[in-house]
Amino acid sequence: MSTPTDLPTMQETTYDVDGKKIFVAETGDGPPVVMLHGGGPGASGVSNYTRNIAGLAERYRVIVPDMPGYGRSSKGVDSADPVGYMAGHIRGLLDELGLDKVHLVGNSYGGACSLRLALDTPHRVDRMLLMGPAGVGTTRTVPTRGARSLLGYYTGDGPSRLKLETFIRTYLVFNAAGVPDSAIEDRYQASIDPEVVASPPTRLPSGPGALRILWKSDFTRDPRLSRLSVPTLVLWGAEDKVNRPSGARMLADRMPNCDLYMVANTGHWVQFEQADLFNRLCSDFLGGHR
């Protein structure tokens, strides 16, 4: 499968989900695939999957939302259970779309959202593909430098283009030269939206309930994981500096129907850095081929 550089024409719609506006872009025809983006500063759905949408739309109905707190969706996330909040709103979006069951594709924070949705309501998920998902073994070791860079973007002296470029070129990808300056500039402008700065969607929990939130957000502490029978493919960059590659084996060891593919010379953004490989594996796996 080729990796088109131009996005196809996409239908754009904003849905009301539990009082929040969720922006969605979609294209293609076939079994529905919902693609959930990561939680880095300035992230959004389409920008996260620019190298994948056209290829997957050859076989699937590709649905790409901006998750709550990001892009053109409503800002503000429930800090008491942020992943559950995200998953609940994506499930509500499926209801608005009239979709009983979908394939889920999730990168990083979007992977955590996909896992939580599948654990809470497994009958809504057909197959699931996760790329370096967040929330895997996070209570068993200290955060990586990449995770600290991401979570510290809005703290200290606040957001800056230099902080964002450092996060992307140093921690997000393996090959820094592969990310165009325009992509960094677009993400920086999105990251300084006043509503986002006032309520960053991705941050370390604090206060009396912080430990409980951290524990609940680590999927390796959830006993339901060993009973989750949804067919799952985990892709993990062997050079991921945000979420440790050791998380891949943690998922494969616990999930009864999980395939694992470690991608050499690749960082946290598998779908961007290895787009041809990702598109081929994703399309085949969601089509029932292992």
Side-chain angles (χ1 to χ4, degrees):
M1 180 185 297
S2 63
T3 306
T5 55
D6 295 325
L7 282 168
T9 300
M10 304 191 74
Q11 176 183 328
E12 299 182 348
T13 311
T14 301
Y15 296 89
D16 191 314
V17 180
D18 295 331
K20 294 284 187 177
K21 300 298 183 183
I22 304 296
F23 171 82
V24 175
E26 66 171 284
T27 188
D29 187 33
V33 178
V34 177
M35 306 185 76
L36 302 179
H37 62 82
S44 64
V46 172
S47 70
N48 203 87
Y49 293 109
T50 54
R51 297 184 175 184
N52 319 114
I53 291 170
L56 293 179
E58 294 172 6
R59 293 178 58 180
Y60 299 98
R61 177 187 175 186
V62 178
I63 301 165
V64 190
D66 289 345
M67 294 204 296
Y70 295 89
R72 285 187 262 179
S73 293
S74 292
K75 306 307 183 283
V77 173
D78 181 5
S79 60
D81 184 13
V83 178
Y85 179 87
M86 295 278 190
H89 278 77
I90 296 303
R91 184 166 45 250
L93 175 64
L94 301 186
D95 294 338
E96 292 296 321
L97 291 167
L99 298 172
D100 294 327
K101 197 169 190 177
V102 299
H103 298 306
L104 289 178
V105 173
N107 169 227
S108 193
Y109 204 39
C113 179
S114 299
L115 260 175
R116 180 64 181 272
L117 196 157
L119 287 167
D120 290 346
T121 49
H123 61 283
R124 304 297 298 267
V125 184
D126 193 345
R127 286 179 165 242
M128 182 165 59
L129 190 146
L130 309 172
M131 302 90 75
V136 181
T138 46
T139 61
R140 302 177 187 275
T141 186
V142 298
T144 64
R145 285 179 141 187
R148 292 200 299 271
S149 175
L150 187 159
L151 294 168
Y153 182 72
Y154 291 100
T155 62
D157 56 359
S160 71
R161 195 184 188 285
L162 177 60
K163 286 173 76 172
L164 183 60
E165 183 166 12
T166 299
F167 167 68
I168 291 175
R169 295 201 189 280
T170 304
Y171 299 113
L172 189 67
V173 297
F174 177 73
N175 178 18
V179 182
D181 288 339
S182 59
I184 293 174
E185 180 62 24
D186 288 346
R187 284 191 63 153
Y188 173 63
Q189 293 301 326
S191 78
I192 57 174
D193 180 321
E195 286 188 275
V196 177
V197 175
S199 181
T202 308
R203 52 185 164 180
L204 277 174
S206 59
L211 287 177
R212 182 190 62 81
I213 296 169
L214 285 171
W215 194 272
K216 189 173 183 178
S217 67
D218 185 350
F219 294 105
T220 67
R221 305 286 186 183
D222 193 327
R224 298 177 297 172
L225 193 63
S226 63
R227 304 190 297 270
L228 184 62
S229 60
V230 172
T232 301
L233 174 61
V234 173
L235 303 181
W236 216 300
E239 305 299 329
D240 192 333
K241 296 178 182 177
V242 178
N243 294 332
R244 285 184 174 84
S246 57
R249 177 47 59 187
M250 290 184 187
L251 287 179
D253 287 344
R254 287 166 174 80
M255 300 178 71
N257 203 7
C258 177
D259 292 335
L260 171 60
Y261 194 113
M262 296 294 293
V263 189
N265 301 316
T266 304
H268 188 55
W269 232 10
V270 174
Q271 80 285 356
F272 181 88
E273 294 189 83
Q274 304 292 344
D276 284 334
L277 173 67
F278 171 86
N279 292 349
R280 184 173 68 253
L281 291 174
C282 183
S283 186
D284 287 348
F285 177 76
L286 298 183
H289 306 289
R290 298 180 65 169

